[in-house]
Amino acid sequence: MKVTDLKINGIYNPVGYSFESLKCSWKVRDSYAGSAKRSKIEVSTSPGMSPVLYGKEGADLDSTGEALDLQCQPMTRYYYRVEVETDQAELSVSEISYFETGKLGEAWIADWIGTQEADTFHPLFRKGFGLASESPVATARLYITGLGLYEAYINGRKAGNELLAPLYSDYNTEIQVQTYDVTDLLSENNTIEIMLGNGWYKGRFGLGNLKENFGSVFACIAELHITHQSGEKHIIQTDESWRYKGSDIELSDIYDGEILNRLLWSEEENPEKPVRILSLDKKKLVSRYSIPVIVKEERYPQSIIHTPARETVLDMGQNFSGLISFHNTFPKGTKLIFDFGEILQNGSFYNDNYRSAKTQFVYISDGTSEYVSPRFTFFGFRYVRVTGWLGELAVTDIAGKVIFSDLEQSGFIQTSNEKINRLFENALWGQKSNFIDFPTDCPQRDERLAWTGDAQVFARTASYNMDTRAFYHKFMHDLRTEQQKHNGIISIYIPVLGEPLGCSVWGDIGTFLPMVLYKQYGDKEMLAQYFPMMKDWVDYITREDTKRGRQHLYNFGSQITDWLAQDGRSPQSFKGGTDDYFISSCYYYESTRLVAEAAALLGKDLLTEEYSQMAEKIRAAILAEYFTSSGRLSIDTQTGYLVALNFGIYPDKTKLLEGLRERFYKDCHKLTGGFVGAPVMCRVLAENGMEEEALDFLLQEEYPSWLYCVNLGATTIWERWNSVLPDGTISGTMMNSLNHYAYGSVIEYLYRNLGGIDPLEPGFKKVRFAPQINRKFKSFQVVYDSVSGTYALEWKIKDDGTVQIRFEVPFACRAEVVLPQYDGETFNLEPGVHELTYRPLTDYRKLFTMNSRLEEMVKNEQALEVLQRKLPGIFHFLSLDDIDGKTHSLNTLVKMDFFGITQQDIESAAAEILEIQD
Ligand code: BGC
């Protein structure tokens, strides 16, 4: 037995964070005891844990997040450990972890410093200093921030390992400060240097060529607190004694890239000058919320391509966000240019889909040998065009650095279908690429904004894939900061640059995300903290509705809704064909219901009552407006039905399902949904008795489908179903990213439905194992390292037709098992590894059902023979090779009775075809 995974507020050993409250979580591994008899948390300021400053002990300490009611002092490191005794008398103590506070409310003695007004170049600030005491340095901490981005060096070595600090915040309201342990960087005589870049603060950022959104002046502020073993303390701070000169960075920009020109000052004077003290508001300085962005993986090119356009292009083998690095040994004056792209066109380099983002790194050598990597930008790419490299380029010459926020992977899926495995990887890479401090739409073009709709649809998948607690906490903090300035509106993206635009699905992140996190991690305090955000969003819509006479519908204002759906005016249209206000009203209903649900969880009885009643009125208004009097949905689109089903808005479920089935038939079983319909499609079908249809959509390979992109070699999820055409041509540049995670939300269905791990209690203390075992997979394995511990479920269909399942339930957790085609009752599992083999009531080795498509059947010799013999009439219509014929099934053929196909013929064919085995 081991007590591991100690985190404070979802972070390992956090240093310098804003902690509104302290929540300590841990996991017990290598034990399958049923419960903790006793747990104990001890906190001390001494690494030896003595004396203990704070302790908490009891039978019911919550391992998913136990509050530490500790009054933290600023600039203090706290050590802590957790001891657990199980009900089987096992006992274990964790290793010692720590958390450390930043300056918190402590006043700054440092000043903001900047350059003289006329100097608009990228500055390098510098100060030399000696140590104030002979006594060795015990600890040294650097409290620092810079605008737009900074890197700090002491004696030429970088403080910390993070990139793009101070990361994003609504800089108008607050600027995050980082804390670095720099004890090991100091010597007798020291130089501290701070480099600055433009970043989100003052570089290009936003739609429509915006720049300098938050400010136009480079600035930084820092305090270096040195404590000697003698107890003497000494502070070096930014003030008028610092000097600056121009750095070698000629250009830096999130969208456009970077120019690092080692000869920038070779022909111009670059004297050191005294800094200017700036009057920026120090009250905006806050301890960090963002978790760091770091290099998470390194990868070398898969190959080097010499293209028809005579370019040298590296193929990294994977689309990702990050940087490149190499060792410069080139002579003075060598100029290297690196361009980044996601796809080749006609075998040559291409990145027109990055629109106005230049995304280029230029390096000019002064002949010094050094390791080179850009500092104040990042790129979204798979291919790198290298221009100016002297000599033959080898795959080991240039490394790719994959960067993203320091998140830990928690979900793993492995199936017998390689293409589905790749789809899972693609969605994961979509998350890695777009979780760079805040959830972005895409990492490459001139956008990279926190589009709230994209984030909303992907949040649940993201939280299975990775431990998102701290990441989303920061994002919710940002959303709330903006919302409070805008009268309850949660805009379609943050930062709000200009007027906010509130619209459904996007703004609904305000209600959906807190609830997703509560279900996933069970943190009620976090839910309470963001309850006002949930309520304010709904109240905003209600206020607008009231202004024009209360209709209980969200049928006003502009709506994005089913973005990039296939049933719009053309396959390239932005908007799908589902009525905007039907979707927005349904989301208004669901958001209101979620406010009521959260209020109930938080014990707010009056609000529970008020919002439940309001939700009912909205529901009634939707039923009156959008359903016929006999109960059919008048919005006849796939997304229309899916939204209604997902939120339970219908007077008659059977009629709704009939309508949806008929819609699928009319659409030749091709999916049509965009950002609203597609992300929830398979899960909603799977949860409403249409498991077979859900699987069918997941496994389709022709456009539009999830596997279409996989077949075309995608390594991430595309923005559009047809981002790339079957011949490999990109379908347009106006808005076409190959790394947009929205459709990656289908992975939630793999975790929760096919893999069958779904929480029954918030924080996964209890789950329902209800895998949707089926004939299309031979095996399916899901592992989810939840906040309560690791659950695993693996099912296999054996050659003899039996189903073998292996379940794992972590320490102190429980599971309820509901198996399909199982001749027994629902049963419960205690912690441990359990195996079960059963013979399903339906033989999963049988290849076809009444709903299998004819196109699948004709690929099977036996089925083909039966069809030819029993239903010769259909061959005329199949031979047209038309989608209409191919997508019929035995079930729907009856609609073609004018071909002389009778129900009896179909049944007689079915009698043989449904028996065919693998
Ligand atoms: C973004 C999307 C976003 C959409 C909404 C696009 O430009 O990339 O992902 O949700 O706009 O209008």
Side-chain angles (χ1 to χ4, degrees):
M1 170 201 182
K2 276 195 302 220
V3 182
T4 63
D5 298 65
L6 268 61
K7 292 187 181 180
I8 296 289
N9 296 4
I11 312 170
Y12 287 117
N13 300 329
V15 173
Y17 283 78
S18 285
F19 298 124
E20 289 104 354
S21 63
L22 288 170
K23 278 283 181 89
C24 165
S25 62
W26 64 91
K27 292 179 195 172
V28 173
R29 301 199 189 263
D30 300 343
S31 163
Y32 292 120
S35 63
K37 190 170 155 207
R38 179 185 63 86
S39 310
K40 179 162 85 173
I41 307 171
E42 287 176 321
V43 183
S44 169
T45 48
S46 135
M49 297 303 296
S50 167
V52 170
L53 176 79
Y54 172 88
K56 203 168 187 182
E57 186 167 354
D60 51 1
L61 296 199
D62 184 358
S63 67
T64 68
E66 184 65 40
L68 304 182
D69 320 302
L70 192 66
Q71 268 306 328
C72 286
Q73 298 304 310
M75 301 185 284
T76 307
R77 179 166 289 202
Y78 296 88
Y79 297 87
Y80 72 109
R81 67 180 168 208
V82 178
E83 179 181 306
V84 178
E85 187 184 341
T86 72
D87 60 4
Q88 290 174 13
E90 301 155 299
L91 179 83
S92 180
V93 188
S94 72
E95 288 189 355
I96 295 166
S97 293
Y98 60 83
F99 57 95
E100 182 176 319
T101 51
K103 279 177 68 74
L104 299 181
E106 209 46 15
W108 283 77
I109 54 166
D111 286 318
W112 279 103
I113 57 171
T115 63
Q116 303 300 327
E117 240 161 307
D119 290 339
T120 52
F121 48 69
H122 282 70
L124 171 73
F125 296 90
R126 194 199 295 257
K127 181 178 169 81
F129 64 95
L131 295 179
S133 161
E134 306 251 295
S135 153
V137 173
T139 62
R141 293 288 184 275
L142 181 62
Y143 304 96
I144 179 170
T145 193
L147 296 169
L149 305 176
Y150 73 86
E151 285 198 351
Y153 295 82
I154 294 178
N155 301 325
R157 286 162 66 200
K158 186 171 152 177
N161 64 347
E162 67 183 282
L163 303 163
L164 304 170
L167 298 164
Y168 171 75
S169 59
D170 172 17
Y171 305 94
N172 292 324
T173 312
E174 60 190 9
I175 299 165
Q176 301 186 77
V177 172
Q178 282 73 31
T179 304
Y180 301 108
D181 180 350
V182 292
T183 316
D184 293 341
L185 304 188
L186 291 175
S187 59
E188 222 170 293
N189 292 304
N190 303 283
T191 309
I192 175 165
E193 293 174 304
I194 303 171
M195 287 177 84
L196 298 179
N198 288 315
W200 298 284
Y201 176 81
K202 71 190 274 296
R204 291 216 292 136
F205 189 39
L207 295 174
N209 227 351
L210 294 173
K211 64 175 192 176
E212 299 189 347
N213 294 311
F214 299 98
S216 56
V217 173
F218 284 119
C220 61
I221 184 165
E223 285 180 12
L224 172 60
H225 290 230
I226 304 168
T227 308
H228 293 272
Q229 285 178 8
S230 58
E232 291 159 282
K233 292 187 184 218
H234 182 202
I235 300 176
I236 305 292
Q237 73 272 16
T238 46
D239 58 19
E240 69 290 331
S241 69
W242 285 55
R243 321 263 303 163
Y244 75 96
K245 61 177 195 168
S247 80
D248 292 344
I249 295 183
E250 193 172 331
L251 176 146
S252 72
D253 192 80
I254 298 284
Y255 294 164
D256 290 334
E258 191 166 308
I259 302 177
L260 177 59
N261 182 354
R262 292 295 186 204
L263 298 177
L264 184 59
W265 301 100
S266 59
E267 282 171 16
E268 215 183 309
E269 290 289 294
N270 185 16
E272 280 208 345
K273 299 179 190 171
V275 298
R276 181 164 61 114
I277 302 295
L278 302 175
S279 58
L280 292 175
D281 190 355
K282 290 192 217 168
K283 286 200 211 80
K284 284 190 195 159
L285 295 170
V286 294
S287 289
R288 70 185 306 159
Y289 285 90
S290 292
I291 54 173
V293 171
I294 60 170
V295 176
K296 295 282 288 183
E297 296 169 34
E298 266 205 0
R299 52 190 307 135
Y300 283 90
Q302 184 176 283
S303 62
I304 297 179
I305 304 165
H306 299 286
T307 73
R310 294 173 186 280
E311 308 144 315
T312 303
V313 173
L314 310 177
D315 178 1
M316 303 305 299
Q318 173 62 53
N319 198 351
F320 65 93
S321 284
L323 304 164
I324 47 127
S325 75
F326 62 93
H327 183 201
N328 174 56
T329 50
F330 294 118
K332 181 172 172 182
T334 309
K335 180 176 182 179
L336 300 175
I337 303 173
F338 304 88
D339 290 290
F340 299 83
E342 296 182 288
I343 188 171
L344 301 179
Q345 290 289 272
N346 300 318
S348 293
F349 182 81
Y350 171 93
N351 70 2
D352 290 355
N353 62 325
Y354 289 23
R355 302 194 302 215
S356 77
K358 208 167 169 196
T359 56
Q360 189 176 65
F361 176 50
V362 178
Y363 174 74
I364 298 168
S365 165
D366 64 0
T368 311
S369 150
E370 64 170 339
Y371 283 94
V372 179
S373 192
R375 288 177 173 80
F376 298 126
T377 190
F378 66 92
F379 310 104
F381 66 104
R382 169 170 174 171
Y383 297 96
V384 190
R385 179 173 63 194
V386 184
T387 313
W389 194 269
L390 303 178
E392 197 58 32
L393 183 62
V395 283
T396 47
D397 284 335
I398 300 179
K401 295 180 171 190
V402 178
I403 69 165
F404 53 97
S405 289
D406 192 11
L407 292 147
E408 196 180 11
Q409 188 173 343
S410 50
F412 305 83
I413 295 176
Q414 185 74 34
T415 78
S416 53
N417 182 328
E418 283 309 322
K419 291 181 182 175
I420 294 297
N421 297 345
R422 185 67 238 188
L423 179 70
F424 168 67
E425 290 293 324
N426 290 2
L428 197 62
W429 276 105
Q431 181 167 359
K432 292 176 179 179
S433 313
N434 284 294
F435 275 42
I436 298 199
D437 195 33
F438 50 93
T440 56
D441 55 339
C442 56
Q444 73 298 70
R445 68 174 178 229
D446 51 356
E447 217 157 333
R448 313 188 203 181
L449 297 160
W451 281 94
T452 46
D454 307 41
Q456 184 267 106
V457 301
F458 191 64
R460 194 78 195 260
T461 298
S463 303
Y464 268 98
N465 282 343
M466 298 185 193
D467 180 350
T468 58
R469 279 177 287 172
F471 181 85
Y472 277 142
H473 174 56
K474 154 68 166 47
F475 184 50
M476 291 202 293
H477 170 83
D478 289 345
L479 288 170
R480 179 67 179 150
T481 306
E482 296 266 19
Q483 184 194 34
Q484 281 178 303
K485 289 199 222 167
H486 299 113
N487 219 5
I489 299 179
I490 294 187
S491 198
I492 51 174
Y493 63 84
I494 59 169
V496 180
L497 304 166
E499 285 305 303
L501 181 61
C503 78
S504 77
V505 184
W506 273 247
D508 290 299
I509 192 160
T511 48
F512 281 48
L513 185 55
M515 216 41 158
V516 163
L517 295 179
Y518 176 66
K519 298 221 163 101
Q520 210 73 6
Y521 302 112
D523 186 348
K524 219 183 237 187
E525 267 178 40
M526 177 94 97
L527 185 66
Q529 189 182 349
Y530 288 100
F531 180 76
M533 172 165 87
M534 301 176 74
K535 183 172 166 305
D536 285 359
W537 166 244
V538 167
D539 290 351
Y540 153 73
I541 305 169
T542 303
R543 239 182 1 256
E544 294 300 306
D545 182 37
T546 309
K547 276 188 203 159
R548 45 93 202 234
R550 187 81 162 114
Q551 292 181 25
H552 292 96
L553 293 172
Y554 189 1
N555 56 356
F556 49 85
S558 52
Q559 301 292 341
I560 301 174
T561 58
D562 204 13
W563 190 245
L564 303 182
Q566 292 298 294
D567 54 1
R569 283 157 46 86
S570 87
Q572 291 296 10
S573 295
F574 287 145
K575 292 182 64 134
T578 308
D579 186 280
D580 276 352
Y581 293 148
F582 170 70
I583 296 178
S584 46
S585 297
C586 289
Y587 272 77
Y588 176 33
Y589 163 77
E590 180 63 5
S591 276
T592 309
R593 197 197 61 72
L594 287 174
V595 171
E597 189 183 333
L601 286 163
L602 298 169
K604 299 175 190 288
D605 297 343
L606 286 177
L607 289 176
T608 310
E609 187 63 23
E610 182 186 337
Y611 285 82
S612 306
Q613 281 176 10
M614 200 203 296
E616 272 323 300
K617 285 189 185 145
I618 297 169
R619 191 169 183 279
I622 296 171
L623 294 183
E625 181 69 27
Y626 297 104
F627 283 79
T628 65
S629 52
S630 68
R632 288 157 68 101
L633 177 60
S634 69
I635 308 293
D636 185 24
T637 64
Q638 292 181 21
T639 295
Y641 291 107
L642 291 168
V643 168
L645 259 184
N646 194 20
F647 301 148
I649 307 174
Y650 41 75
D652 180 338
K653 187 166 175 181
T654 313
K655 279 194 177 150
L656 194 76
L657 290 174
E658 265 168 27
L660 178 56
R661 283 209 173 86
E662 190 57 22
R663 185 68 258 164
F664 284 150
Y665 172 74
K666 287 184 195 154
D667 292 336
C668 287
H669 299 273
K670 292 284 160 201
L671 68 81
T672 59
F675 278 28
V676 174
V680 301
M681 177 181 220
C682 293
R683 181 183 57 75
V684 169
L685 294 177
E687 289 171 4
N688 287 283
M690 293 172 81
E691 293 94 338
E692 221 183 319
E693 284 84 349
L695 256 183
D696 180 49
F697 283 111
L698 176 74
L699 295 173
Q700 283 187 35
E701 303 202 13
E702 279 171 26
Y703 160 79
S705 71
W706 279 279
L707 294 186
Y708 166 75
C709 334
V710 170
N711 282 342
L712 279 176
T715 59
T716 38
I717 304 286
W718 297 341
E719 178 171 25
R720 293 172 177 269
W721 293 115
N722 62 352
S723 281
V724 179
L725 304 175
D727 66 359
T729 316
I730 191 151
S731 66
T733 53
M734 212 296 275
M735 200 191 71
N736 200 350
S737 131
L738 303 187
N739 202 351
H740 243 68
Y741 55 53
Y743 293 147
S745 312
V746 72
I747 300 301
E748 178 182 344
Y749 157 67
L750 270 64
Y751 283 115
R752 294 178 63 189
N753 308 104
L754 286 179
I757 303 184
D758 203 21
L760 272 182
E761 283 175 21
F764 283 76
K765 288 182 180 137
K766 181 167 186 190
V767 305
R768 174 174 292 133
F769 281 141
Q772 296 195 340
I773 298 165
N774 63 76
R775 54 179 50 76
K776 304 271 179 169
F777 289 91
K778 289 213 166 353
S779 69
F780 203 105
Q781 186 194 34
V782 177
V783 176
Y784 179 50
D785 189 14
S786 79
V787 69
S788 293
T790 302
Y791 288 93
L793 197 163
E794 180 176 11
W795 54 262
K796 279 187 186 145
I797 298 171
K798 311 247 294 188
D799 289 345
D800 65 2
T802 55
V803 172
Q804 190 186 51
I805 315 190
R806 181 185 175 277
F807 307 93
E808 186 174 347
V809 181
F811 166 79
C813 292
R814 300 290 182 274
E816 172 184 299
V817 185
V818 187
L819 295 176
Q821 302 296 322
Y822 177 64
D823 191 13
E825 303 280 297
T826 298
F827 57 94
N828 293 312
L829 293 177
E830 299 279 307
V833 175
H834 311 268
E835 283 190 0
L836 171 94
T837 301
Y838 74 100
R839 184 162 295 282
L841 300 174
T842 300
D843 191 340
Y844 289 125
R845 291 170 303 175
K846 292 185 181 164
L847 291 176
F848 304 109
T849 70
M850 290 300 285
N851 291 323
S852 302
R853 297 147 182 275
L854 292 181
E855 63 182 330
E856 273 177 58
M857 293 185 192
V858 296
K859 284 185 204 145
N860 179 286
E861 262 175 47
Q862 273 173 280
L864 179 66
E865 189 277 320
V866 180
L867 288 174
Q868 272 164 337
R869 188 158 36 86
K870 301 269 180 178
L871 296 166
I874 63 164
F875 277 91
H876 157 70
F877 137 83
L878 266 179
S879 63
L880 296 176
D881 199 29
D882 179 76
I883 184 165
D884 184 3
K886 292 197 303 186
T887 55
H888 267 284
S889 63
L890 291 175
N891 250 343
T892 60
L893 267 184
V894 72
K895 297 188 197 239
M896 309 305 282
D897 55 0
F898 46 82
F899 276 130
I901 300 171
T902 66
Q903 184 65 32
Q904 232 175 358
D905 296 337
I906 296 171
E907 276 165 20
S908 134
E912 291 188 44
I913 290 175
L914 301 196
E915 290 307 314
I916 298 174
Q917 291 198 5
D918 201 355

